[in-house]
Amino acid sequence: MTKKKWTIEAGSPHPLGATWDGHGVNFALHSSVAEKVELCIFDAKGKETRLALPKRSYNTWHGYVPGIGPGTSYGFRVHGPYDPERGLRCNPHKLLLDPYARAVVGEMVWTPAHYAYDMDGEVQDLAFDDSDNAAHTLKGQVIDERFDWGDDRRPCIPPSDTVFYEAHVKGLTQLHPGIPPELRGRYAALAHPVMLDYFKKLGVTSVELLPVHAFLDDQRLTEAGMRNYWGYNSIGFFAPELRYGPARQGGVQAWDGGAVVNEFKGMVKALHAAGIEVILDVVYNHTAEGNHLGPTLSFKGIDNSTYYRLMPDNPRMYLDHTGCGNTLNTHNPVVLRLILDSLRYWVEQMHVDGFRFDLASALGRGADAFDQRSAFFAAIHQDPVLSRVKLIAEPWDIGLGGYQVGGFPTGWMEWNGRYRDAVRSFWKTDAGTLGDFSSRLCGSSDLFQHDGRSPSDSVNIITVHDGFTLHDLVSYNDKHNEANGEDNRDGESHNRSWNCGVEGPTDDPDVLALRERQKRNLLATLFLSQGTPLLLAGDERGHTQQGNNNVYCQDNELAWIDWTPGERADALTDFVRRLIAFRREQPTVGRSAFFNGQPGPEGYKDVTWLDRDAQEMQPEKWNDPHTHVVAALLCGRHTGELDKAARPITGDSVLLLINASPENQTFTLPEHRTPGWTCHFDTARDGGEPAQRDWQVGDACEVGARSMVVFTQPFDNA
């Protein structure tokens, strides 16, 4: 049999990456330092054919290969200077992954050949290494991007109506008994009817997925027999991670990247049909290549000084605002274009509805400090596609001045770490927390009321993937991360957690009851606060990680959600469902306008803070560091919302009786518009169901120790 001899033509510099046109594939790669670029095509047995890209247009190398198509695996070899002291790290012995690869396939087997330097050299990264890594590294794969989207429509949930549900593709579905075993842990599992029904019944509007961009298992973890579970180690910004797609058939070269892409698209289509948005957690602040001693897998070998921020006075070293060894150089238009092209691809081709940006402060840095007017923000805001989707920042990085909660531009939502800290501290009765707690409950106007921003820009979090689960937050005083193999040094030590008297598992019924009550208190606060709530998947079921607050490497039952039916789990899930439904029905909660605390035309304030005697709180009580008892009256006359005719919407007034103290407290129900109050929740009771629903103004309501009682009263305009 005669071996096929490929030919290569000049092709086009646009678009970057590998593009199939039905007859062949155009390849384009940007490198300002390359002297020559070879396209490397691999057959089904892994045999490599090298073709020099024949044309250079400015700094884009390109070529067109007739007769190849979807399923073709490929990479690049970049010939150029290797001079780390000048920030140059080209090494043609290293097969490099295309930054624009639509599918990333193969098996990453860690070997010294992945490093561009001789690891036995006197000064490690200065000594050139000529071993070849092609047999053991990841490769790009050409795909057919066509997909039948049918009548797919984006749900387009307004921020004020949004309830985020942060979930891990595998962790959420791997143990679910209602999902066929062959689908568990996959994109297809999220599209299974049992999960769609669960999301709808729970009431969440937007599933926020932990990273699904192609990522690597760190060498250290692999050698320790573990995996990178969370996925914050990106290597491909256009390709969905293979491990959540259909398993390959055959040998190592038999991955079908196109099937993975289509399964992801099918998941999005199914979630949209159920009215659920898909939000991706994206990691554009760093890559998996690490620092100067890290591997050369893609960007380093293509154009190191373009893609990464290097030390100005020592370009051998990397600026690290991320704690991961490197920081992508968003100052460079090539890198900025890469990020924007990636984001647009996921919106236009994959139909996702928004993004949560990991360590987003790193993306918005100027020469060093964070800058609201940086090129990154300016480019997104003027983009006709990206400016219309949900943009959510994790508003911090590890660099100087990196904590920027409330500091992002208009159009961005932000994870509110100050909300998390204030709510946790208040319910564990730390001294002097009432003022901060009340500000967070009202939408954090001190942080967000500027430049036309709204309460919904505050994404209120109590627990997220990084840290204790809700169950562990009320069950452990200290982290227990021994399983991670780092002598319990990893993970946050200051968790503002309280174990309710016993560290970890217990059979004590009083401790167990108190823990369930504290969960209800924290969840009720989350869903009754102004701002946008985010629920960590599994918290509604009491998921535990046994005190491990950093399960980034625990791809096992410790991190996967247990769906075994249980009285406590089912009761907590139903409590969350009722809270979300209550929030959706009450325009007074989840307002799009901040409270002003001023009386309206009829004399009612939009929010009034009361003591136990139904009198307005006085400064001495606000300033008492031991005050943990307060009532908040949200007036239904002032919802801040308008109907389609631009008329003010009137809703129920909502009364929150809050007692974080360790003793029962008696509240007098205040006078308001009508004489009656209806009780909806009492967190002191199992399941949060109140013992008595109908109450009158002036009644004495006993609120149990460490609990909250919630009332409504219709605001009658007659």
Side-chain angles (χ1 to χ4, degrees):
M1 182 177 180
T2 304
K3 179 185 174 182
K4 175 74 174 180
K5 184 175 181 179
W6 304 113
T7 60
I8 190 164
E9 302 168 2
S12 168
H14 305 293
L16 291 170
T19 307
W20 179 58
D21 64 3
H23 305 284
V25 179
N26 190 81
F27 296 90
L29 179 76
H30 182 280
S31 176
S32 65
V33 298
E35 297 164 357
K36 172 185 173 183
V37 176
E38 290 180 303
L39 166 67
C40 306
I41 298 175
F42 295 85
D43 66 16
K45 295 182 179 180
K47 184 174 179 58
E48 177 182 357
T49 298
R50 302 184 188 182
L51 300 169
L53 292 179
K55 183 75 173 174
R56 179 179 185 177
S57 299
Y58 298 101
N59 288 321
T60 299
W61 299 76
H62 51 95
Y64 179 87
V65 181
I68 64 173
T72 302
S73 297
Y74 72 99
F76 295 108
R77 296 182 184 271
V78 175
H79 298 253
Y82 184 83
D83 187 354
E85 293 184 309
R86 293 196 296 131
L88 303 171
R89 296 181 178 270
C90 298
N91 185 335
H93 300 285
K94 312 304 170 186
L95 185 75
L96 304 175
L97 182 66
D98 179 7
Y100 279 73
R102 299 318 199 242
V104 174
V105 300
E107 297 282 355
M108 181 72 181
V109 179
W110 284 103
T111 165
H114 291 308
Y115 297 82
Y117 59 89
D118 183 352
M119 300 184 78
D120 296 324
E122 289 186 16
V123 184
Q124 283 186 327
D125 64 317
L126 299 183
F128 188 80
D129 179 76
D130 62 1
S131 58
D132 195 281
N133 72 332
H136 306 293
T137 196
L138 299 174
K139 300 170 180 67
Q141 191 175 83
V142 180
I143 66 168
D144 180 354
E145 295 186 5
R146 293 175 296 183
F147 181 79
D148 182 9
W149 284 103
D151 59 353
D152 180 61
R153 294 185 180 182
R154 301 180 188 279
C156 296
I157 310 295
S160 58
D161 295 336
T162 297
V163 176
F164 290 116
Y165 188 73
E166 192 196 25
H168 187 282
V169 173
K170 183 175 184 180
L172 182 64
T173 63
Q174 184 66 24
L175 298 179
H176 200 298
I179 298 173
E182 67 274 13
L183 296 183
R184 294 175 191 169
R186 287 171 45 179
Y187 303 118
L190 290 177
H192 191 275
V194 71
M195 289 309 307
L196 299 178
D197 184 60
Y198 182 77
F199 295 144
K200 288 192 291 184
K201 286 183 177 178
L202 190 60
V204 298
T205 68
S206 310
V207 175
E208 182 177 307
L209 298 177
L210 267 67
V212 297
H213 285 173
F215 63 87
L216 284 183
D217 292 314
D218 320 56
Q219 183 172 5
R220 179 188 68 81
L221 293 179
T222 300
E223 292 173 349
M226 295 187 286
R227 304 186 75 180
N228 190 315
Y229 173 63
W230 284 345
Y232 291 92
N233 204 32
S234 298
I235 195 63
F237 296 125
F238 291 79
E241 172 57 39
L242 278 181
R243 69 188 72 186
Y244 307 136
R248 71 177 187 272
Q249 303 294 322
V252 71
Q253 303 297 326
W255 281 105
D256 185 350
V260 177
V261 172
N262 286 341
E263 184 166 306
F264 182 93
K265 291 177 176 178
M267 173 198 73
V268 174
K269 184 177 179 180
L271 284 165
H272 282 180
I276 307 294
E277 292 181 318
V278 179
I279 309 295
L280 299 188
D281 192 335
V282 290
V283 187
Y284 295 111
N285 55 77
H286 75 281
T287 78
E289 290 186 301
N291 63 15
H292 65 292
L293 297 179
T296 295
L297 306 171
S298 180
F299 310 93
K300 272 185 184 177
I302 294 169
D303 200 339
N304 184 61
S305 60
T306 287
Y307 282 108
Y308 295 114
R309 299 189 67 167
L310 307 179
M311 292 285 192
D313 56 347
N314 183 11
R316 176 186 165 204
M317 300 295 179
Y318 295 80
L319 280 170
D320 183 10
H321 296 304
T322 67
C324 300
N326 62 59
T327 306
L328 275 176
N329 184 17
T330 54
H331 290 270
N332 192 293
V334 172
V335 180
L336 191 58
R337 177 185 175 186
L338 169 76
I339 295 173
L340 295 176
D341 285 349
S342 168
L343 292 169
R344 277 192 296 267
Y345 177 80
W346 287 95
V347 174
E348 295 182 317
Q349 293 294 326
M350 309 293 262
H351 286 210
V352 304
D353 304 286
F355 306 94
R356 179 268 190 187
F357 293 80
D358 179 63
L359 298 181
S361 293
L363 300 173
R365 285 185 174 271
D368 183 51
F370 178 82
D371 183 3
Q372 273 196 4
R373 296 167 294 181
S374 70
F376 172 73
F377 293 129
I380 284 184
H381 283 196
Q382 61 78 42
D383 190 283
V385 174
L386 302 179
S387 60
R388 299 181 182 182
V389 301
K390 283 187 168 72
L391 303 170
I392 306 139
E394 181 186 39
W396 49 80
D397 63 24
I398 69 165
L400 183 65
Y403 195 79
Q404 289 291 326
V405 175
F408 276 66
T410 303
W412 283 76
M413 306 170 79
E414 303 176 36
W415 275 22
N416 191 343
R418 288 188 58 181
Y419 178 95
R420 171 200 60 210
D421 295 347
V423 172
R424 289 185 178 191
S425 293
F426 178 79
W427 280 110
K428 67 188 288 282
T429 63
D430 288 346
T433 55
L434 177 60
D436 201 16
F437 174 80
S438 64
S439 294
R440 304 307 144 225
L441 191 74
C442 289
S444 298
S445 61
D446 57 327
L447 301 175
F448 293 97
Q449 195 171 14
H450 60 84
D451 299 329
R453 304 191 72 182
S454 74
S456 58
D457 289 344
S458 172
V459 177
N460 295 334
I461 56 175
I462 292 177
T463 57
V464 294
H465 69 276
D466 185 3
F468 280 144
T469 65
L470 181 66
H471 177 86
D472 292 356
L473 185 68
V474 301
S475 304
Y476 295 88
N477 285 350
D478 304 302
K479 63 183 181 180
H480 297 269
N481 298 357
E482 290 80 7
N484 296 353
E486 300 179 47
D487 297 322
N488 206 33
R489 295 189 303 270
D490 62 303
E492 176 61 57
S493 296
H494 185 52
N495 293 287
R496 302 173 192 253
S497 60
W498 179 46
N499 63 19
C500 297
V502 177
E503 186 74 356
T506 180
D507 294 326
D508 187 317
D510 292 336
V511 172
L512 293 173
L514 179 54
R515 288 176 178 176
E516 294 304 309
R517 181 181 300 193
Q518 286 289 77
K519 291 180 198 176
R520 291 191 291 270
N521 290 332
L522 292 162
L523 289 165
T525 303
L526 176 67
F527 289 107
L528 298 176
S529 293
Q530 307 301 316
T532 306
L534 181 146
L535 176 67
L536 173 64
D539 275 356
E540 76 278 13
R541 296 192 55 76
H543 172 62
T544 179
Q545 294 168 174
Q546 300 174 21
N548 191 320
N549 72 354
N550 190 32
V551 296
Y552 76 101
C553 57
Q554 298 296 328
D555 188 3
N556 51 49
E557 287 85 352
L558 184 66
W560 303 339
I561 293 172
D562 183 1
W563 291 91
T564 304
E567 185 176 344
R568 282 200 181 96
D570 295 344
L572 192 61
T573 301
D574 185 64
F575 179 68
V576 171
R577 179 192 61 76
R578 291 191 293 114
L579 279 171
I580 295 175
F582 180 85
R583 179 186 180 89
R584 185 170 55 245
E585 294 162 1
Q586 300 297 337
T588 316
V589 182
R591 294 158 41 105
S592 58
F594 287 102
F595 293 120
N596 60 36
Q598 300 301 311
E602 297 169 302
Y604 296 101
K605 295 181 180 180
D606 50 12
V607 60
T608 307
W609 292 93
L610 305 169
D611 62 19
R612 289 176 300 170
D613 299 321
Q615 302 300 308
E616 286 206 46
M617 287 279 288
Q618 297 302 306
E620 61 269 19
K621 291 187 178 179
W622 282 114
N623 296 330
D624 182 348
H626 303 294
T627 300
H628 289 94
V629 180
V630 71
L633 175 56
L634 316 180
C635 180
R637 174 68 177 81
H638 305 284
T639 67
E641 308 302 316
L642 302 175
D643 63 17
K644 293 181 179 180
R647 295 171 301 198
I649 293 176
T650 300
D652 290 348
S653 293
V654 177
L655 176 66
L656 311 177
L657 306 183
I658 301 167
N659 175 23
S661 77
E663 295 88 26
N664 293 357
Q665 302 289 339
T666 300
F667 287 75
T668 299
L669 296 186
E671 292 185 7
H672 195 49
R673 184 71 171 183
T674 61
W677 287 100
T678 301
C679 190
H680 295 267
F681 300 98
D682 182 349
T683 65
R685 297 177 56 80
D686 290 346
E689 289 279 4
Q692 176 181 339
R693 289 190 61 83
D694 297 324
W695 296 73
Q696 297 296 310
V697 166
D699 283 351
C701 177
E702 186 174 52
V703 178
R706 305 186 193 278
S707 67
M708 179 193 301
V709 180
V710 181
F711 294 87
T712 62
Q713 180 183 111
F715 195 96
D716 185 1
N717 276 325

